[in-house]
Amino acid sequence: LLDWELPGLQSGRSTAGPAHPLLRALRLVRPDLVVVALSSRSEARWAALAGGTDAFAGKWEPPEHLLAALRIAGKPKDGCRW
């Protein structure tokens, strides 16, 4: 789980969101890492998904939405994930 609006992260010139540089760095080290973004801002959904997260859940949504996002993100893509 990655808070897309994680306090203390600087987005620099990126319009994708403060966590986008962190996600890029994580993908360099672990390209197979499953990342579900969380945010309290509904407009962050598209930025997070476009930025490379596997799924998104809003902090305002019921817990079932987070569980569904985790299930979706955890499904293997093009065969086995691990």
Side-chain angles (χ1 to χ4, degrees):
L1 293 175
L2 176 62
D3 188 333
W4 198 246
E5 306 296 323
L6 193 63
L9 291 180
Q10 298 299 319
S11 62
R13 294 181 178 258
S14 175
T15 58
H20 191 246
L22 176 58
L23 178 60
R24 281 195 321 247
L26 287 170
R27 292 283 191 215
L28 287 174
V29 178
R30 290 285 311 274
D32 61 333
L33 183 67
V34 177
V35 178
V36 175
L38 297 170
S39 179
S40 59
R41 296 176 41 240
S42 61
E43 61 272 15
R45 177 183 309 272
W46 302 118
L49 293 171
T53 61
D54 297 291
F56 179 91
K59 293 179 180 180
W60 68 91
E61 296 175 322
E64 294 80 18
H65 286 237
L66 175 58
L67 293 174
L70 291 170
R71 277 195 226 70
I72 290 167
K75 287 187 179 182
K77 298 173 186 146
D78 299 322
C80 185
R81 181 179 292 282
W82 298 279

